[in-house]
Structures are given as C-alpha cells and as structure tokens.
C-alpha cells in the first residue's frame, strides 16, 4: 500500500516498500457525542470540558464519573476495557505483578512452557520452562556430581563448566535460522529469509536466480495496471489500481474481473487515484489520493458515496467497524473517523508537533484504534500506539522502534515491520509489553496480513522496467505466532505488494506485473 509520498521517501534504497493495512471488521459504535473544534472537525468525547462536574482526577464516561488510571472498563480512555484477568494501573491494562498478557491470558513467562521467555514461544513437548528458558540446554559435568548439574558453576567442589546459557545474539546483518547465525543476503539455504533455499545453490543480494516464474500459484486477474491494496471477503477479492484509476473485483477462483468504480464515476476531470482499501459486509471503502477523500461503493457495484474529504490531509491507512471508517493523517499524526453514513470527520487524536513523521493505521478491534509513527530511519524513535474508539489519551504500546510500519491487528497483538530495509516482522500485545520479533533478516517485508496462527507478508525487490524473470526475487511468506524460520509460499515473483488471507488461501497484488494471484493451501 505504500503511496507516492512514501515511495519518494524510500526511493534511495528501493522504489517501493511499505506496510499495508489489513482492516478489522469487528467493532462497536462509540457514540461519543463530540463537539466541533475551531477547524471544523468534530473532536472526540475526551476533549476539554467534558469532565465538568467530576471530582479531581476523574473523567466523565457515559453517565458517570470514573478514574481512567484505575478503572478496568475505561482504562486510559473511556471505553477501553481490560481483559478479564488484567487490572488497570496508571491508565494501562496490565497483568498482576509477575504476569504477562499472552493469547491465553495472564501468565508467567518464567514457567509457562507455551510462552517461555516471550508470548507464543513454546517449548517442545514434555520440556518444561525454567526461568524463562526451555530446559535441556547445555549442562556441566563435573566430577563431584558425576554427571549433569543444570546451572552449576565451576568451583572448589565442582570442576565442571558453567552452563552455556542462552545462545549468543547473532552479529550485525546476521539472522538466527534454526539456532544458526547466518547472513540471509548470501546464504543459499536461507536466501532473503530463513528457509528460502535457492535451487542452484546461489544467493546474492537476498536473491535466488529464477529462470522461470514460480508455478505454484494461480493468477486470478491481470488488469494491465498497477494493483495496490487488496482485501478478500466472501467469494471475491477486491483491489485498487492507481494507474488504471479503478476499484476492481474478481472471484476467489478467478473469472472475469468487474470494475466497481472508475475515474468517470468520481471526477469529471479524471483525477482519481484509489489507494487504501477496506471491506464490510455490504460495501468497499477506499481512499482517493487525488482529493484526500474516503469513499464507499456497494460490493455488488453501484453509485460511489463520498463519506469525508480531507481538505489536503492525506489519509494513510483505512479500517472499518460496524459504525465508522477510521484513518490516519500522514504528516500530522491525527487519527480520525467518520460515520459509515457520512458526516463530519471526528478527530480522535489531534495533530501532534512531535509525531509528524509518516503515520500508518494498523486497524481497529472492539475497543481501540491502532497505528504507528515511523520516526526517522535509523533513529529508533518510532512507536506503536492505540486510543479508545471514542478518543482520549493515546497509549504507547511500544517505543524506541526503528521505522515501524503498522500492518495488522488481531485483537491480541499489533503486527508491524521494523527497519528501514523493512527487515523484520514484529508483534506487540495490544495491552503493551515487550515487542517480539517473529522473523528477521528479511528483504523489504511489506503488506502484512494475519489469521489465527500466522503472519503473512510480501518481500523482495521489485522490477519495474528493463527486467526479466531471471531477476525476479519477490516472495510471499509466512511465520507462526511463535516465530521461527519463515515458510516461503510463492517465489520468483516480479513485485508482490499487498497481501490478504481467508480460510484457505493467501492473495496478493503484483505491482508491476499487473496481476492479482493466490496460493492454496496457505
């Protein structure tokens, strides 16, 4: 989904690399009843003046007053509810002392063999988790104990050697692939990522030479343009194409593509560059880059309806729930929403003087909106944040990140890419905590999507002109929530860009190949 402004930013390293928003369809109306600010936008219900009549330190939420620093039903902001086992402390949902919130609830990373040292890091069957590490690692064998003493230190009564402890961190530009540190730029057995084996044993610049395209996937449509964002819903795949100026649909098994919207339906001048895309059960929602508008059209086709215009402020990312469409403003850091029926945009998070680098919307769940501030490449000043659906004070979930681009939300975690080379796929719990790197050593990962067990993305350089199949090194990959070597689902692609998933397949756009494809099974 990276657009012209982002592409210009990344041009020195790669002409096209970005993270893509996968939208959530779950959500609740927040009914915030905000007021209009001086700029003509409606500010969410957490704006100044709404706490009149409440005691000091409390906030008006609904019909009563509460303390958002401690109220687990309104933690940090009205409507932000903590999970059943969590408490609200300092305006953040946290587990009781010593606990960490993982997919199964609050647990101890020191002893949980399904979340050993980090969420979703499971020990092998029958292996316990001890002090945050799976038991059975290197041990000593000194003469005083005649065998093994896990954790034993060499001393007067023990001539054995101390445990080796955790494996050493891999050096710069190296990746831990199955316990072995390697350089995925040149390793033919881990080329461009762990587990990607080059058939001819040659890997250079994260690239396997490809004599022909990969035959393991199905091309659903070839629209002749440059397909960007896509989403899958029901029996169809939907995408936007900026060059062709269209919003398209095709069946999940292929067939004749259908044009839902073209430039003639939007702008008499023909200025129409559809961008980010989202779906609900009745409509397709998209951003028109040329007038910064959020527009919808029925899934079956029909007249497009403009829900909101940005007035020169470019929406970055798009997500919908049952009542609203949400987006971020690229250069100001604002988070906004509008009713699915249209109306005045509501500002959930106002413009920030300190967070005006690129802002990417990740998505929404039943309580919050999630996004990233990228910061500056190499400066580790990016962050992942959230705010309640009614607005309020943003909560930082992770900070000191290197150019994070938020990509997907699943109700438990926010998934994003990190690094200006976009060389890692990372997750952080929606309640906050230590980010977990699921895959690293990647080559321009982008277009994240998630299902109940894995994260999916596209990667590799793109090839716009003057290239042939032997230079294609694009891939579509996945990794499980516990991390580990990624699985390559499709390889030797020209320029895979955005990714979506359903219960059986992975779908992607190919930016310069002008195609929409899928691979089954996923």
């Amino acid at each position: 989904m990276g657009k012209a402004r982002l592409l210009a930013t990344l041009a020195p390293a790669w002409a096209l690399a970005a993270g893509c928003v996968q939208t959530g369809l779950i959500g609740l109306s927040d009914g915030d009843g905000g007021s209009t600010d001086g700029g003509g936008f409606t500010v969410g219900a957490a704006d100044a003046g709404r706490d009149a009549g409440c005691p000091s330190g409390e906030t008006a939420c609904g019909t009563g007053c509460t303390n958002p620093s401690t109220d687990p039903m309104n933690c940090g902001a009205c409507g932000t509810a903590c999970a059943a086992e969590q408490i609200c402390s300092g305006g953040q949902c946290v587990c009781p002392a010593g606990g960490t919130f993982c997919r199964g609830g609050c647990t101890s990373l020191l002893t949980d063999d399904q979340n050993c040292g980090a969420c979703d890091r499971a020990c092998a069957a029958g292996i316990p988790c001890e002090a945050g590490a799976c038991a059975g690692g290197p041990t000593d064998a000194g003469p005083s104990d005649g065998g093994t003493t896990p954790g034993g230190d060499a001393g007067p009564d023990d001539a054995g050697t101390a445990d080796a402890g955790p494996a050493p961190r891999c050096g710069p530009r190296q990746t831990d692939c199955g316990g072995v540190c390697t350089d995925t730029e040149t390793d033919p057995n881990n080329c461009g990522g762990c587990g990607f084996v080059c058939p001819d044993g040659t890997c250079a610049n994260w690239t396997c030479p490809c004599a022909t395209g990969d035959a393991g996937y199905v091309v659903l449509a070839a629209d002749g343009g440059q397909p960007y964002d896509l989403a899958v819903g029901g029996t169809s795949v939907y995408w936007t194409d900026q060059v062709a100026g269209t919003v398209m649909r095709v069946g999940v098994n292929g067939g004749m593509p259908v044009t839902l919207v073209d430039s003639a339906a939007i702008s008499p001048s023909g200025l129409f560059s559809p961008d980010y895309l989202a779906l609900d059960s009745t409509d397709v929602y998209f951003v028109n880059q040329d007038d910064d508008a959020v527009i919808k059209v029925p899934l079956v086709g029909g007249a497009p309806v403009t829900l909101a215009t940005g007035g020169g402020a470019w929406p970055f990312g798009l997500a919908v729930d049952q009542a609203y469409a949400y987006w971020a403003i690229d250069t100001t850091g604002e988070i906004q929403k509008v009713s699915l029926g249209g109306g005045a945009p509501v500002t959930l998070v106002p413009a920030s003087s300190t967070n005006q680098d690129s802002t990417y919307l990740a998505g929404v769940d039943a309580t919050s909106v999630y996004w990233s501030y990228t910061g500056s490449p190499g400066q580790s000043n990016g962050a992942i944040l959230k705010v309640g659906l009614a607005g309020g004070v943003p909560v930082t979930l992770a900070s000191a990140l290197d150019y994070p681009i938020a990509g997907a939300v699943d109700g438990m975690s926010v998934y994003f890419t990190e690094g200006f080379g976009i060389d890692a796929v990372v997750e952080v719990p929606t309640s906050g905590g230590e980010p977990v790197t699921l895959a690293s050593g990647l080559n321009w990962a982008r277009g994240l999507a998630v299902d109940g067990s894995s994260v999916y993305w596209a990667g590799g350089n793109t090839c716009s002109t003057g290239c042939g199949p032997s230079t294609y090194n694009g891939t579509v990959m996945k990794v499980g929530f516990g991390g580990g070597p990624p699985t390559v689902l499709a390889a030797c692609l020209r320029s895979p860009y955005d990714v979506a998933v359903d219960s059986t397949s992975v779908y992607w756009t190919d930016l310069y190949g002008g195609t929409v494809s899928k691979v089954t099974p996923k």
Side-chain angles (χ1 to χ4, degrees):
M1 59 184 194
K3 315 305 177 237
R5 203 168 300 168
L6 174 65
L7 301 187
T9 301
L10 299 185
W14 177 54
L16 292 163
C20 296
V21 173
Q22 300 297 323
T23 61
L25 303 181
I26 303 172
L28 303 173
S29 171
D30 63 87
D32 56 16
S35 59
T36 302
D37 68 9
F41 289 94
T42 304
V43 180
D47 54 29
R50 64 167 293 166
D51 300 331
C54 289
S56 176
E58 294 194 358
T59 298
C61 286
T63 60
C65 298
T66 188
N67 185 345
S69 294
T70 58
D71 183 355
M73 300 306 295
N74 300 280
C75 189
C78 295
T80 299
C82 299
E85 299 177 33
Q86 292 180 303
I87 60 175
C88 181
S89 177
Q92 297 194 38
C93 295
V94 297
C95 290
T100 299
F101 192 74
C102 296
R103 296 177 189 279
C106 291
T107 189
S108 172
L109 301 182
L110 298 177
T111 58
D112 185 350
D113 57 9
Q114 296 301 306
N115 301 279
C116 191
C119 291
D120 295 318
R121 289 186 176 174
C123 298
I127 301 298
C129 178
E130 299 176 354
C134 297
T139 60
D140 60 32
S144 64
D145 57 26
T148 60
T149 306
D153 294 326
D157 299 319
D158 186 349
T161 57
D163 287 352
R169 184 181 181 89
C170 293
R173 301 185 62 83
Q174 288 195 318
T175 300
D176 184 342
C177 289
V180 177
C181 291
T182 187
D183 185 348
T184 58
E185 182 178 4
T186 58
D187 183 352
N189 294 309
N190 300 279
C191 189
C194 297
F196 187 4
V197 179
C198 294
D200 69 350
T202 302
C203 175
N205 193 30
W206 300 279
T207 304
C208 288
C210 293
T212 60
D214 185 271
Y217 62 89
V218 176
V219 175
L220 302 178
D223 73 356
Q226 290 184 2
Y228 273 59
D229 258 22
L230 89 163
V232 59
T235 59
S236 296
V237 184
Y238 304 80
W239 70 95
T240 57
D241 190 316
Q242 284 190 341
V243 172
T246 55
V247 178
M248 305 290 292
R249 182 190 77 213
V250 75
V252 294
N253 294 315
M256 181 65 68
V258 175
T259 300
L260 298 178
V261 181
D262 60 19
S263 59
I266 298 295
S267 171
S269 66
L271 294 176
F272 178 45
S273 296
D275 208 319
Y276 299 96
L277 185 79
L279 304 177
D280 65 11
S281 61
T282 60
D283 294 288
V284 184
Y285 302 82
F286 58 93
V287 170
N288 180 15
Q289 184 185 116
D290 284 319
D291 63 2
D292 303 314
V294 177
I295 304 170
K296 72 175 181 179
V297 67
L299 295 175
V300 296
V305 175
T306 297
L307 303 181
T309 55
W314 189 3
F316 247 43
L318 186 65
V320 296
D321 63 14
Q322 295 171 345
Y324 291 92
Y326 304 81
W327 63 91
I329 300 298
D330 173 27
T331 57
T332 67
E334 293 174 78
I335 305 298
Q336 297 183 343
K337 70 177 182 180
V338 69
S339 169
L340 297 185
V346 177
T347 297
L348 303 179
V349 177
S352 168
S353 62
T354 58
N355 289 301
Q356 295 189 1
D357 294 299
S358 293
T359 306
Y360 287 85
L361 194 79
V364 299
D365 62 14
T367 64
S368 302
V369 187
Y370 303 84
W371 72 96
S372 67
Y373 290 134
T374 62
S376 301
Q379 299 301 307
S380 296
N381 57 353
I384 304 292
L385 303 96
K386 71 175 180 179
V387 72
L389 297 180
V393 179
V395 176
T396 299
L397 304 180
S399 59
L401 302 173
D402 182 11
Y403 211 78
I405 297 179
V409 178
D410 68 358
M412 291 296 297
S413 295
V414 183
Y415 303 87
F416 57 97
T417 58
E418 187 182 10
F420 191 57
I422 321 296
D423 60 358
V425 173
V426 187
E427 73 167 314
V428 64
T430 55
S431 57
E434 187 70 21
V436 176
T437 298
L438 302 178
S440 61
L442 305 174
N443 185 12
W444 295 104
R446 55 194 179 268
L448 299 187
V450 64
D451 63 10
S453 62
S454 301
V455 187
Y456 303 79
W457 67 91
N461 297 326
T462 64
C463 185
S464 56
T465 59
C467 51
S470 64
T471 65
Y472 299 167
N473 77 330
T475 59
V476 174
M477 307 177 78
K478 73 173 183 179
V479 69
F481 287 147
T487 299
V488 177
L489 302 174
C492 297
L493 307 176
R494 181 171 179 175
S495 49
Y497 203 60
D498 194 20
V499 176
V501 296
D502 63 12
S503 60
T504 62
S505 305
V506 182
Y507 306 81
W508 66 91
T509 54
D510 194 299
L511 185 66
Y512 292 122
T515 59
V516 176
S517 303
K518 76 170 183 179
V519 64
T520 307
K522 61 181 183 178

